[in-house]
Amino acid sequence: KPFIVGLTGGIGSGKTTVANLFAEKGIELVDADIVAREVVAQGSIGLESIKTHFGVEVISANGELNRQALRELVFNDDKQRQWLNNLLHPLIRQTMMQQVAQAQSEYVILVVPLLFENGLDSLVNTTLVVDISPTLQQQRSAKRDNTSAAAIQKIINSQMSREQRLAKAQYVIDNQGDVTKLTQQVNQLHQHFLIQAKQVNS
Ligand code: ATP
């Protein structure tokens, strides 16, 4: 049974950057955002269920999920949104854990933006938070996505606060410095997780 490190952090904190540094060391990644797309991919049970429930208007001409149409249908409808969450959340959870179970590396990094918010920290052995200030979140997200400060702030506000997240974290990476500093922290944590994973499995 693989040792699972739950990796999280706010928008623009550097989750993907950190995850890729672990991947360079041969550590396998399971990414909640990717799994969330897989469970509604063409031919999936998830997409079929959505089609049966909401009708063909949520399917695009090419047979894929029309996310915009689905968003509009659940936007102002708590009951429908709940129906959708009740379908997708267990599917995403199961698929993530299946992928984790198939991993061959010494431990696995599970990347989940809303790890604590959605209670997925109960599925992992330990938690690692990538931390930066809200000001840096704004700067780095804006640089990457070319979105407005207001749109980024709205997402920051919808997520757990920096303080709440840090209070829940078992390990913290400070990503306010440069990538060299980041890599040093990842190297140290990697050595630490290797030992922990061995202990848990012995
Ligand atoms: P999101 O949740 O929004 O998908 P994320 O947490 O995965 O974001 P990344 O995409 O890894 O964050 O990083 C956000 C941006 O900041 C990227 O453009 C990335 O290249 C940049 N970045 C990450 N770490 C650093 C750093 N230490 N110094 C400068 N830029 C950085």
Side-chain angles (χ1 to χ4, degrees):
K1 203 160 130 269
F3 183 83
I4 311 172
V5 178
L7 175 64
T8 192
I11 177 174
S13 58
K15 295 179 292 294
T16 308
T17 308
V18 167
N20 289 339
L21 289 172
F22 280 104
E24 281 176 21
K25 301 183 169 300
I27 298 306
E28 290 181 49
L29 311 177
V30 175
D31 186 319
D33 286 343
I34 294 173
V35 171
R37 287 197 291 273
E38 288 174 353
V39 299
V40 293
Q42 277 199 60
S44 65
I45 300 169
L47 186 60
E48 279 311 305
S49 307
I50 289 170
K51 190 162 98 183
T52 304
H53 185 83
F54 291 102
V56 287
E57 60 263 39
V58 298
I59 309 297
S60 309
N62 63 7
E64 285 177 12
L65 178 63
N66 183 338
R67 288 166 187 285
Q68 184 58 31
L70 183 61
R71 254 198 302 277
E72 281 165 20
L73 279 175
V74 302
F75 182 67
N76 270 323
D77 193 332
D78 288 346
K79 209 170 145 234
Q80 295 305 333
R81 195 183 16 251
Q82 203 175 29
W83 183 91
L84 189 62
N85 286 340
N86 287 345
L87 170 77
L88 294 180
H89 285 184
L91 262 179
I92 293 169
R93 216 177 245 254
Q94 280 161 24
T95 309
M96 284 194 310
M97 295 323 277
Q98 276 165 12
Q99 292 185 4
V100 163
Q102 281 163 13
Q104 299 295 311
S105 51
E106 293 99 327
Y107 63 93
V108 180
I109 301 272
L110 185 63
V111 189
V112 189
L114 300 178
L115 183 77
F116 298 124
E117 287 88 339
N118 288 340
L120 294 169
D121 51 324
S122 66
L123 300 177
V124 302
N125 295 93
T126 193
T127 58
L128 173 57
V129 163
V130 188
D131 177 65
I132 63 173
S133 69
T135 308
L136 268 179
Q137 278 185 285
Q138 277 284 356
Q139 286 172 6
R140 290 187 186 161
S141 303
K143 204 171 155 191
R144 187 195 50 189
D145 297 339
N146 186 35
T147 41
S148 71
I152 296 163
Q153 192 58 47
K154 212 176 144 187
I155 295 172
I156 292 176
N157 293 345
S158 76
Q159 299 179 337
M160 188 173 264
S161 73
R162 183 186 192 186
E163 291 71 27
Q164 287 175 308
R165 197 181 290 113
L166 286 175
K168 286 191 168 264
Q170 276 172 310
Y171 296 92
V172 177
I173 288 184
D174 176 357
N175 189 23
Q176 303 191 107
D178 58 21
V179 174
T180 307
K181 277 193 175 156
L182 187 63
T183 308
Q184 284 167 356
Q185 294 175 79
V186 168
N187 289 347
Q188 275 202 357
L189 282 165
H190 175 61
Q191 294 309 322
H192 188 76
F193 291 147
L194 284 177
I195 293 167
Q196 269 204 290
K198 270 212 189 81
Q199 282 171 350
V200 166
N201 288 314
S202 65

